[in-house]
Amino acid sequence: STTRSRVVRMSILSESITSIITESKKKKTINFVFGEFIAQSLIMADQIHTWHWVSDEKNTHEVLGDNYKKMRDLLDDLVEGYISNVGDLNYTYSSKLTTKNSSKKLIVRELNEYRSLLGDTIVASKSMGLPTVNDNLVELNALLDKAIYLLGMK
């Protein structure tokens, strides 16, 4: 299923980020993995936006609507900060979005999977010495925490 393959891709990417932290600080490797993190982030932002459109529950619709807009802004700041400090950003964007009205439980599970990947990326960004990039990642994490909390309330 689309959800399962997305979880597998995030798990593999998470492992890659972890190995960079422990094994390598080479610009090309960091650039590729950070680029792939951005690709997964764009996919997640698109998925959140799609869930927002198809949700038939007012609370879920509002929480996701607020989330995807702020997430896009944060990703824009994050990528611009990265490019200005590191240079090129390489990634491949390919996605199959879930266009069905999904349960809050499924949405929260996918947001938590993405948040796990984000946590690994935060750790990696600290080793790169890019405080602005790290600040944007931490803010993105807080945004996800808020959405997960609000979706779990009702």
Side-chain angles (χ1 to χ4, degrees):
S1 81
T2 302
T3 300
R4 182 149 176 76
S5 64
R6 188 180 358 250
V7 168
V8 169
R9 283 194 311 269
M10 282 193 241
S11 175
I12 292 168
L13 184 55
S14 183
E15 289 173 17
S16 296
I17 289 170
T18 303
S19 70
I20 284 174
I21 295 167
T22 58
E23 294 174 19
S24 172
K25 290 187 180 180
K26 294 180 182 174
K27 183 179 171 185
K28 274 187 169 182
T29 306
I30 290 172
N31 187 5
F32 172 75
V33 173
F34 193 79
E36 291 304 311
F37 166 75
I38 293 301
Q40 290 299 316
S41 298
L42 292 171
I43 290 166
M44 183 54 68
D46 285 347
Q47 183 62 71
I48 292 169
H49 196 168
T50 302
W51 283 327
H52 162 76
W53 285 332
V54 300
S55 175
D56 58 2
E57 195 173 304
K58 184 178 181 182
N59 177 55
T60 302
H61 180 80
E62 290 174 353
V63 168
L64 296 176
D66 186 48
N67 187 278
Y68 86 82
K69 292 172 188 173
K70 289 179 181 174
M71 187 173 183
R72 286 284 181 185
D73 289 341
L74 284 170
L75 290 174
D76 186 63
D77 292 345
L78 180 62
V79 170
E80 288 174 357
Y82 181 86
I83 290 171
S84 70
N85 284 287
V86 178
D88 296 337
L89 180 66
N90 298 312
Y91 67 88
T92 303
Y93 181 91
S94 176
S95 168
K96 290 183 180 179
L97 302 176
T98 302
T99 56
K100 296 177 185 170
N101 185 6
S102 299
S103 69
K104 283 185 184 180
K105 186 177 179 179
L106 173 71
I107 293 169
V108 168
R109 187 175 70 224
E110 286 217 27
L111 291 176
N112 275 316
E113 288 291 334
Y114 173 73
R115 187 172 58 174
S116 175
L117 173 64
L118 176 59
D120 293 339
T121 305
I122 290 170
V123 171
S125 75
K126 287 179 183 177
S127 72
M128 294 185 326
L130 304 172
T132 302
V133 169
N134 192 61
D135 290 348
N136 286 324
L137 289 168
V138 169
E139 194 172 344
L140 181 57
N141 193 58
L143 178 67
L144 288 174
D145 283 346
K146 180 180 177 183
I148 290 166
Y149 171 77
L150 290 172
L151 289 171
M153 288 182 63
K154 291 189 179 184

